[in-house]
Amino acid sequence: SPSPLQSLGPLFRVHPQHAGAAKRPRTSSANPVARGVGRLANQPAHVAAGRVHTDSPTHSTPAKRMATAAAPIARSKRGGHTSSSSAAALFYPFRALGYITESAPFAVQRRGTESFVTVSAGKAWQIYNCDKLRLVMVGPQFPADITALAAKGDLTFAGVGRDIVVCRRAHRVCTLEGHAATVTHLFAFGTNLISVCAGGRVLSWDMSRDAIDHLDGHRSGASKRAADLAKVSMATDKAQNTQDDLDSNDADNSKGEQGDDKDTDTDTDEGDAGKPRPSEFILPDGFECTAVCHPDTYLNKMLLGSSDGRLLLLNIVTGRNVHIFLPEAMGNTSGAAVTTLENSPALDTMAVGLSSGRVLIHNILFDKRVVDFGHDGSGKPVRCCSFSSGQGEPMLAVGGDSGTVSVWSLEGKRLRSLITGAHDGAVVAAHFFPGQPVLMTAGGDNAVKQWIFDNQDGSARLLRFRAGHSAPPTHVTFYGEGKRLLSAGGDRALRVFSTIQDQQSKELSQVNVERRAKKLKLAEQELKLPPIRGIAWCEVRERDWANVVTCHVGEPRAYTWRLSNGVLGEHVLVPPSKVGRDGVSDKGKPVCSVAVSACGNFAVIGTEGGDVHRFNLQSGQHRGAFKRTAAEEGKTAETTSAPTGPRRQLNLRGGARSIWNMADKSYGMSGSGNARTAPAHVGAVAAIATDGSNKQVITGGSADGMVRVWNFAAQHLEGEMDTGCGVQLMSLHKPGALVAAAGVDMVVRVLDVAGMRRVRSLKGAKTPVRALEFSSDGRWILAATIDGAVLVWDVPAARLLQTMRMSADSPVVGLSLSPAMDMLATVHEGRRGVYLWANSQMYSAAPLGHATSAAATPAKGVNEDGEDDQDEEDEDNQENKGGAGSRRGEVYCDLPRLHAEVNDGGEIVLGASASDDDEAGDDDAGDAETQREKKKQTREKAAAAALSVRPDFPEPAAPGLATMALLPRTQWLGLLHLDTIRERNKPIAPPEKPKDAPFFLPTTAGLDRNPVFDLEADTGDDDGEGADAARSRILTANGEGGGDVEGVLLRLLRRGKTNAEAAEDASLSKATPAYSTAKAAKAKGKSSRGTKRGAADANDAGGGGGEGQGLADVTPAPGGPYAEAMAHLRKQGPSALDAEIRALGPWDVTTMTDADADELADVLDFFAAEIPSGRNFELLHALLAHFLRVHGTALAERERLRIRAERVRTAARKAWSGLDQLMQEVRCALGFFGGQHGQ
């Protein structure tokens, strides 16, 4: 069938030749450039030859990951250098949310029946499935933002600054260097990669399969094959260049000799033999490449656009400049720069986008213009074009800096539809899916959208999209249990982000904004609500009515949102207007603060005029105002009660008992001094908070500096506290009735609402506080200041734990701590994402509330008795020297990655940031093997140092406290119901026989039914000494004549027992020197007997001498002497734990031997030592219950086992009694309040 574009004229004809044949346009012989005088030139090594950085191995080593997770290094980038700090940060970088795409155009490729789009998200790229726009893959983090993208199969090419990073799937393979300016365009063409930089240079890279496999190092023998191919290629290029020099006769002899010398030097360079080198194309004078495209059926041809409006047809094999298209012939009389090139479904036809806002359809075979489109009339540059294909009317979509997408009908040569405000920023990429009326666009507003043209008028509607904040967010708060986040910023949007699945993140709709914008022909941004300045929520009534309230800049009303439906609520909270004496109604001041009650039924809003109003969220009706009497306005009162005096009876139906009189909030007072007419505050209401029992409302004034406590139901003043300065922010700890108020004097005051007094004054901030958060347990207060510092105070100890700098160039503008205190969310100035940080106190061995920073400093204003000292505070305010928060004690952290770092075992690694990749990208490529070996040794040392001080499980916060293992509940609870689980999971079909394997492959010991082959083990087939050194895979050789059948758990338990005895002997020998001498003599005599058990203990202890050897060098290991055994048990599932426990002791009680009794005794000693420590409380008791259930009968057979069992019972009873006593108090209190104390 003929092409749809043939209707445009006779120039759009299908070429009769074969589709793969090369085409040569008709050129004039008078044009020397058109005759092709250019040639491919390999630049010398010191001028333009590219370098390749191999980043193999592609996966980070486990040592690096463990070191990063165990002891993350805080880095400082001040002064242009990076310095490490000895203090560990309280929060580790985890991941970033809300990044969809940036300004770099996306790359679309079809694989099988599905299409995938690769987009840039700042310093990393992401791959989405185009069917549902579901995130498929996230690439590695780069040291700088991505400027260009290209994709081919499993390979992704990203331009990062002047370099090109090659990735195979999600792992970085190599870095290509050759450009002197920023890479602006990448184009994958066959086995070549065409790259263009800002300076206009065009390079070609060999990205064939052999070259990539050589760089990646996956295939055996690839290095030799790639080196041979490179040598043959360079020899061919040299011969071709020599032949061209002989034929041209214009080259100078000196230049030819110099070129030969350069080629000779290149050939003898053995270090570059296996590395792909770029080939630079010599372009015409003044030709600065700005766009690149491949015309269909033009074999080995590329079409380049320049900044002066010219086009160049280039042969990438021979390097010849085939033809130059002048701007006058294309109708570009002004010589506007070419910004984009797009190939059309019709042969020989190209779309040329110009910086003047015009789009030209040009026939490159005849060098004639076909049609000229004007885009949207804004005159802004065109950035992308795309042609539709398949059935239906042929269309051309054009996008540019104006954010509008214009769709042109190619048959009628007219404007078909206009998508006004398709993106809030520039449209950087557009793509029509083949055979579908679906257009995908990407813009600078951090959004990828798909439009479908199925409306009756031919216009497009939004089909699906993925978007983040188009402007940096300024507010963020955790919602509910901490699985969702609410954020708002300068883009006038309220968004909800899911910390679990990115697909659940969305923007809350503002009701028909798109339809109204289309009707009024305006951008959606102009019809949205003003930027949000405050957010409040309550999840209790989420499914019933609106449960989120926001206040906006300059708006005298507050808006409600239905989070369950993701739309704007049906009610707008408008404070009642005030009617002045002249009868003129005052529209009211803007709302500046909001709060939602704990029941979810009421919203409390504060205005800049000092008024505080209460509304019902279900009906949106006004339910009274919080006002003061004239007496309360004139003087400061600590406590007030309900006004007394004669009530005024309203002349309404029902009399004094009518509902109207009962609803009178003036308490029936006459117009005397007891009437409540004064506003809640003088000046703006800076913050509002409601307690957890709906009894009190706390407000803070920014002008009067008062923190007032109001009765929620009666709406009268209960008390007030003077802070001495204006209040900027407040955060309430609802369970403890403590409120933190940040003042303009940079001091955070902790106020007791119940006692109406100030209990703490926390200092350390150098600039005013812009974000404040109280932790859910009431121990920490976090504050972000204007200078970018994040301060963490310990409230009970009144100490500044740490001052963190979470970015060198992007200060924190908002933060929120999750209710579980495991995650901290921050938003930063100039960044459109929401960053998550993991609490190191929750994921490391340091106890909660412990100051891990060496710069922890006591807060000022609190004396030794913990009481506030006003005089000391005033003196400190005047001096304000040194002390807490000094830059000497600050900890610098890098921003989190786009995604969480995962190790080889699939576990998330905390603390991994972009700095790790920065270091990898800064290494010199001279000796890749040496660099990799040095980095590997450094990581292994860091991992060893980190693991030596950090156990794999949490330590008790204090002696005698029970600490949970923080394992999944099913891992230890399944032991109690293992029989039921096995019966439920009983297989229906018999197990299949595993596939046969070669007999000579050794296997590893384990509990799996299928064999696990150890490919790296030595089979011991060599004759001589190698055969004698081979060890049995069945017996553990502890002696010369054989060994004991000993499992991994038993060996670790006995090693732990040896460590415990050594530690005990070391402590006794240090206390009494006589004991040390006697113990050494006893050990010397015992070593001469050489029993099998003694040899095993000595072997496990790591020394060949007696037990007393090296006692002085023994130090307590983190996690106790049985740390290795506990780490082994924590990794096992319920079935594996059951198998490990059943493998201990005798198979039959009647045939129990002394060796079996020794095994059970070692296990009982393990429980007796670990239970009092308080570590892994629930796991240990589950293991003990299962152990007694399996081996209870065997323990009753031997006297020494019964003695050890009694010792374990004493330890378990003591550990449980303290916990049971605390729980009993709670049970009694709940029973009393629940009316069940007498039952």
Side-chain angles (χ1 to χ4, degrees):
S1 60
S3 173
L5 291 178
Q6 291 186 12
S7 59
L8 291 179
L11 294 179
F12 285 87
R13 62 181 180 86
V14 181
H15 203 279
Q17 297 181 1
H18 190 267
K23 300 182 180 181
R24 295 181 178 272
R26 301 170 186 174
T27 58
S28 174
S29 59
N31 188 352
V33 181
R35 293 198 302 265
V37 298
R39 65 180 179 86
L40 185 66
N42 285 325
Q43 297 297 319
H46 65 280
V47 177
R51 295 184 300 169
V52 180
H53 286 198
T54 57
D55 297 322
S56 300
T58 57
H59 298 278
S60 301
T61 60
K64 170 191 173 183
R65 301 178 189 273
M66 288 188 294
T68 306
I73 298 176
R75 292 177 172 85
S76 170
K77 294 188 177 181
R78 291 184 300 160
H81 65 279
T82 302
S83 60
S84 61
S85 174
S86 59
L90 291 177
F91 292 93
Y92 296 165
F94 179 49
R95 61 173 301 201
L97 302 174
Y99 280 104
I100 306 299
T101 182
E102 293 292 340
S103 58
F106 55 64
V108 182
Q109 64 171 338
R110 189 169 183 85
R111 308 199 66 181
T113 60
E114 296 181 334
S115 297
F116 298 89
V117 56
T118 304
V119 299
S120 67
K123 297 182 179 180
W125 49 261
Q126 301 178 130
I127 298 180
Y128 290 93
N129 190 320
C130 295
D131 292 340
K132 297 293 184 179
L133 285 182
R134 186 181 298 273
L135 184 64
V136 177
M137 188 181 300
V138 181
Q141 193 89 355
F142 300 135
D145 291 340
I146 296 176
T147 56
L149 278 173
K152 177 190 174 184
D154 289 340
L155 300 179
T156 302
F157 309 96
V160 182
R162 296 179 297 177
D163 303 332
I164 303 172
V165 182
V166 183
C167 300
R168 188 195 295 270
R169 294 186 66 83
H171 308 294
R172 185 160 49 183
V173 177
C174 63
T175 301
L176 309 177
E177 295 183 354
H179 286 285
T182 302
V183 177
T184 57
H185 295 84
L186 292 175
F187 190 85
F189 182 51
T191 60
N192 297 321
L193 176 67
I194 309 300
S195 61
V196 182
C197 68
R201 295 180 58 193
V202 182
L203 301 181
S204 176
W205 305 82
D206 180 17
M207 291 291 106
S208 61
R209 188 182 188 90
D210 289 335
I212 295 299
D213 289 339
H214 165 63
L215 295 174
D216 202 0
H218 285 332
R219 294 174 56 186
S220 60
S223 177
K224 181 179 179 180
R225 291 195 302 271
D228 294 341
L229 291 175
K231 290 181 180 179
V232 173
S233 178
M234 285 188 293
T236 304
D237 292 342
K238 177 183 176 182
Q240 181 179 356
N241 295 338
T242 305
Q243 184 65 29
D244 291 342
D245 292 339
L246 293 176
D247 293 341
S248 68
N249 292 328
D250 294 334
D252 188 71
N253 294 332
S254 59
K255 294 182 179 179
E257 294 175 358
Q258 186 177 5
D260 293 340
D261 293 339
K262 294 178 181 178
D263 293 339
T264 304
D265 295 339
T266 304
D267 295 339
T268 57
D269 189 1
E270 299 179 358
D272 296 337
K275 299 178 180 179
R277 299 180 56 201
S279 300
E280 181 176 3
F281 301 101
I282 298 180
L283 305 179
D285 295 339
F287 192 95
E288 183 179 344
C289 184
T290 56
V292 59
C293 183
H294 165 62
D296 288 343
T297 72
Y298 281 61
L299 187 63
N300 300 326
K301 304 296 191 303
M302 297 293 298
L303 188 65
L304 308 180
S306 69
S307 58
D308 57 3
R310 290 183 293 172
L311 299 181
L312 172 64
L313 189 64
L314 176 69
N315 190 317
I316 65 170
V317 175
T318 62
R320 296 181 56 192
N321 298 330
V322 180
H323 184 71
I324 293 181
F325 303 90
L326 300 179
E328 292 78 9
M330 296 185 297
N332 183 14
T333 56
S334 61
V338 178
T339 56
T340 182
L341 293 172
E342 182 66 20
N343 190 27
S344 71
L347 299 182
D348 312 322
T349 309
M350 305 293 297
V352 183
L354 304 178
S355 60
S356 60
R358 298 167 55 202
V359 180
L360 309 176
I361 307 298
H362 194 75
N363 187 290
I364 62 174
L365 180 62
F366 298 97
D367 194 6
K368 289 185 178 180
R369 184 186 62 174
V370 179
V371 66
D372 185 356
F373 297 133
H375 188 34
D376 59 351
S378 63
K380 295 184 179 180
V382 174
R383 295 300 176 187
C384 56
C385 299
S386 181
F387 288 91
S388 65
S389 60
Q391 300 295 331
E393 182 182 7
M395 296 178 291
L396 171 65
V398 183
D401 288 351
S402 61
T404 301
V405 176
S406 60
V407 183
W408 299 84
S409 174
L410 298 179
E411 291 181 349
K413 299 182 182 180
R414 60 180 178 82
L415 182 65
R416 189 174 190 268
S417 63
L418 195 67
I419 308 177
T420 305
H423 291 272
D424 294 337
V427 182
V428 297
H431 175 77
F432 263 112
F433 291 99
Q436 303 179 34
V438 179
L439 173 68
M440 181 170 62
T441 60
D445 58 347
N446 195 23
V448 175
K449 300 181 179 180
Q450 291 184 3
W451 312 83
I452 183 170
F453 295 85
D454 59 353
N455 292 333
Q456 295 181 356
D457 58 351
S459 60
R461 64 178 178 88
L462 186 62
L463 179 62
R464 62 179 65 94
F465 68 98
R466 291 293 301 275
H469 282 288
S470 60
T474 56
H475 295 81
V476 63
T477 177
F478 273 99
Y479 177 83
E481 298 179 355
K483 297 181 180 179
R484 287 183 289 179
L485 284 161
L486 296 175
S487 63
D491 58 351
R492 302 185 176 188
L494 177 62
R495 293 189 174 273
V496 54
F497 290 100
S498 173
T499 59
I500 301 176
Q501 291 186 351
D502 291 337
Q503 290 79 9
Q504 297 180 0
S505 302
K506 60 184 178 180
E507 177 185 354
L508 273 66
S509 172
Q510 298 189 15
V511 185
N512 300 327
V513 173
E514 179 183 355
R515 185 175 62 184
R516 288 186 290 139
K518 182 179 179 181
K519 183 178 180 180
L520 298 175
K521 296 182 179 181
L522 297 174
E524 294 183 16
Q525 190 76 6
E526 300 179 10
L527 298 180
K528 287 185 177 181
L529 297 175
I532 293 176
R533 61 187 302 182
I535 306 175
W537 55 267
C538 180
E539 62 176 344
V540 176
R541 295 290 189 172
E542 178 180 351
R543 298 184 178 274
D544 299 329
W545 49 73
N547 66 319
V548 178
V549 181
T550 58
C551 59
H552 302 256
V553 176
E555 279 289 322
R557 60 186 65 86
Y559 293 87
T560 61
W561 306 78
R562 279 183 174 266
L563 192 61
S564 58
N565 299 335
V567 298
L568 190 68
E570 58 272 16
H571 301 300
V572 179
L573 310 181
V574 183
S577 302
K578 297 180 180 180
V579 180
R581 295 181 179 178
D582 53 358
V584 179
S585 176
D586 185 11
K587 295 183 180 181
K589 300 291 185 180
V591 178
C592 57
S593 56
V594 291
V596 178
S597 63
C599 62
N601 297 326
F602 298 95
V604 183
I605 64 175
T607 66
E608 292 183 356
D611 296 321
V612 179
H613 300 272
R614 186 179 67 180
F615 290 85
N616 184 281
L617 288 177
Q618 182 180 9
S619 62
Q621 297 297 319
H622 185 257
R623 289 294 180 258
F626 297 85
K627 293 184 177 295
R628 295 173 295 155
T629 63
E632 293 170 347
E633 184 182 8
K635 65 177 182 178
T636 302
E638 292 295 333
T639 58
T640 59
S641 58
T644 59
R647 291 181 57 88
R648 178 182 71 247
Q649 297 297 328
L650 301 179
N651 189 16
L652 297 172
R653 174 181 293 182
R657 293 182 175 272
S658 68
I659 188 175
W660 307 104
N661 276 296
M662 296 175 62
D664 182 18
K665 300 305 177 181
S666 64
Y667 284 90
M669 293 298 149
S670 59
S672 59
N674 288 331
R676 300 186 179 276
T677 58
H681 289 274
V682 177
V685 180
I688 301 177
T690 60
D691 66 344
S693 57
N694 275 7
K695 292 184 177 180
Q696 293 176 330
V697 176
I698 300 94
T699 60
S702 60
D704 54 12
M706 304 297 294
V707 175
R708 292 191 169 95
V709 182
W710 307 81
N711 185 282
F712 184 86
Q715 297 181 338
H716 65 79
L717 186 64
E718 291 186 350
E720 60 183 11
M721 292 166 281
D722 188 1
T723 61
C725 63
V727 177
Q728 289 183 318
L729 297 168
M730 282 196 330
S731 180
L732 176 66
H733 181 245
K734 296 182 179 180
L738 296 177
V739 59
V744 295
D745 58 350
M746 299 170 290
V747 177
V748 177
R749 295 170 176 83
V750 182
L751 308 175
D752 183 8
V753 176
M756 295 296 174
R757 65 188 184 94
R758 179 162 48 93
V759 294
R760 292 288 186 273
S761 293
L762 307 177
K763 296 187 177 182
K766 301 301 181 183
T767 54
V769 177
R770 61 173 23 164
L772 190 65
E773 184 78 7
F774 221 129
S775 64
S776 58
D777 63 351
R779 294 185 61 89
W780 284 4
I781 289 180
L782 291 82
T785 58
I786 293 180
D787 60 352
V790 176
L791 297 90
V792 183
W793 286 282
D794 187 347
V795 178
R799 300 178 69 89
L800 177 64
L801 295 182
Q802 198 170 83
T803 301
M804 294 175 290
R805 299 276 179 177
M806 292 183 169
S807 177
D809 54 352
S810 301
V812 178
V813 297
L815 56 84
S816 178
L817 190 63
S818 64
M821 294 181 57
D822 56 344
M823 290 292 167
L824 174 68
T826 60
V827 289
H828 297 253
E829 182 178 340
R831 296 189 178 271
R832 294 187 288 194
V834 178
Y835 295 91
L836 296 182
W837 308 75
N839 189 349
S840 63
Q841 307 298 302
M842 301 289 290
Y843 298 99
S844 66
L848 285 171
H850 175 68
T852 57
S853 174
T857 316
K860 301 177 183 178
V862 180
N863 55 24
E864 297 178 356
D865 298 332
E867 299 177 355
D868 183 66
D869 191 348
Q870 181 65 31
D871 296 335
E872 294 180 3
E873 178 187 354
D874 296 338
E875 295 175 1
D876 294 335
N877 285 337
Q878 297 175 1
E879 297 178 3
N880 196 16
K881 298 179 181 180
S886 62
R887 289 192 176 270
R888 181 173 51 86
E890 292 179 353
V891 175
Y892 292 81
C893 307
D894 296 324
L895 287 176
R897 298 168 178 260
L898 188 63
H899 63 101
E901 182 76 3
V902 181
N903 60 13
D904 298 335
E907 299 177 353
I908 295 177
V909 178
L910 299 178
S913 60
S915 60
D916 300 330
D917 293 322
D918 295 349
E919 294 177 356
D922 293 338
D923 293 334
D924 189 12
D927 190 354
E929 291 293 336
T930 305
Q931 294 293 339
R932 288 197 297 268
E933 188 66 25
K934 290 181 179 180
K935 288 191 290 184
K936 181 179 179 180
Q937 295 177 0
T938 304
R939 293 165 183 166
E940 290 177 352
K941 292 180 180 179
L947 293 178
S948 63
V949 299
R950 179 182 184 271
D952 294 334
F953 40 84
E955 289 285 341
L961 294 183
T963 303
M964 301 295 108
L966 298 182
L967 293 175
R969 189 179 180 184
T970 55
Q971 187 170 348
W972 54 270
L973 191 60
L975 284 173
L976 305 179
H977 309 282
L978 196 59
D979 296 337
T980 305
I981 295 174
R982 287 177 175 174
E983 184 67 24
R984 183 184 58 191
N985 298 336
K986 182 180 296 184
I988 301 176
E992 297 181 359
K993 183 180 179 180
K995 187 178 180 179
D996 295 336
F999 67 93
F1000 53 83
L1001 292 181
T1003 59
T1004 59
L1007 300 175
D1008 294 337
R1009 178 174 299 178
N1010 297 326
V1012 179
F1013 301 104
D1014 188 2
L1015 301 180
E1016 299 180 356
D1018 187 7
T1019 58
D1021 293 336
D1022 299 335
D1023 298 334
E1025 297 179 358
D1028 297 337
R1031 299 180 59 185
S1032 173
R1033 298 192 301 270
I1034 300 178
L1035 301 180
T1036 302
N1038 290 331
E1040 296 179 358
D1044 297 328
V1045 181
E1046 191 177 65
V1048 178
L1049 178 59
L1050 182 59
R1051 184 163 60 252
L1052 294 177
L1053 291 177
R1054 289 179 174 176
R1055 185 181 301 174
K1057 183 177 180 180
T1058 304
N1059 296 337
E1061 293 176 352
E1064 183 180 0
D1065 293 342
S1067 60
L1068 292 176
S1069 62
K1070 185 176 181 180
T1072 56
Y1075 174 84
S1076 177
T1077 305
K1079 189 68 177 178
K1082 181 179 179 180
K1084 182 177 180 181
K1086 184 177 181 180
S1087 62
S1088 61
R1089 293 192 294 269
T1091 62
K1092 183 186 301 185
R1093 177 66 182 275
D1097 293 342
N1099 190 19
D1100 290 338
E1107 296 180 0
Q1109 182 178 358
L1111 293 177
D1113 298 335
V1114 177
T1115 57
Y1122 291 96
E1124 293 179 325
M1126 282 305 308
H1128 174 72
L1129 292 173
R1130 287 170 59 91
K1131 297 178 182 179
Q1132 308 300 321
S1135 300
L1137 291 175
D1138 175 69
E1140 291 278 13
I1141 291 176
R1142 293 184 182 276
L1144 301 172
W1147 294 99
D1148 188 2
V1149 179
T1150 59
T1151 61
M1152 183 172 58
T1153 62
D1154 293 340
D1156 296 335
D1158 291 340
E1159 294 181 3
L1160 297 179
D1162 292 337
V1163 178
L1164 292 174
D1165 292 340
F1166 161 73
F1167 284 117
E1170 282 296 309
I1171 290 177
S1173 66
R1175 293 182 291 264
N1176 305 289
F1177 188 82
E1178 76 279 24
L1179 178 61
L1180 278 174
H1181 283 77
L1183 291 172
L1184 178 60
H1186 191 64
F1187 175 78
L1188 295 177
R1189 184 166 57 249
V1190 174
H1191 299 289
T1193 307
L1195 297 179
E1197 296 294 329
R1198 296 292 180 97
E1199 179 66 23
R1200 62 190 184 98
L1201 295 181
R1202 292 196 296 268
I1203 296 175
R1204 282 182 166 84
E1206 181 64 27
R1207 190 185 310 164
V1208 174
R1209 184 175 68 172
T1210 303
R1213 182 179 298 173
K1214 183 178 180 180
W1216 172 250
S1217 60
L1219 185 62
D1220 183 63
Q1221 183 178 0
L1222 294 176
M1223 296 179 65
Q1224 181 64 22
E1225 295 179 0
V1226 177
R1227 286 195 294 265
C1228 292
L1230 292 178
F1232 176 78
F1233 290 110
Q1236 301 177 0
H1237 57 281
Q1239 300 179 1

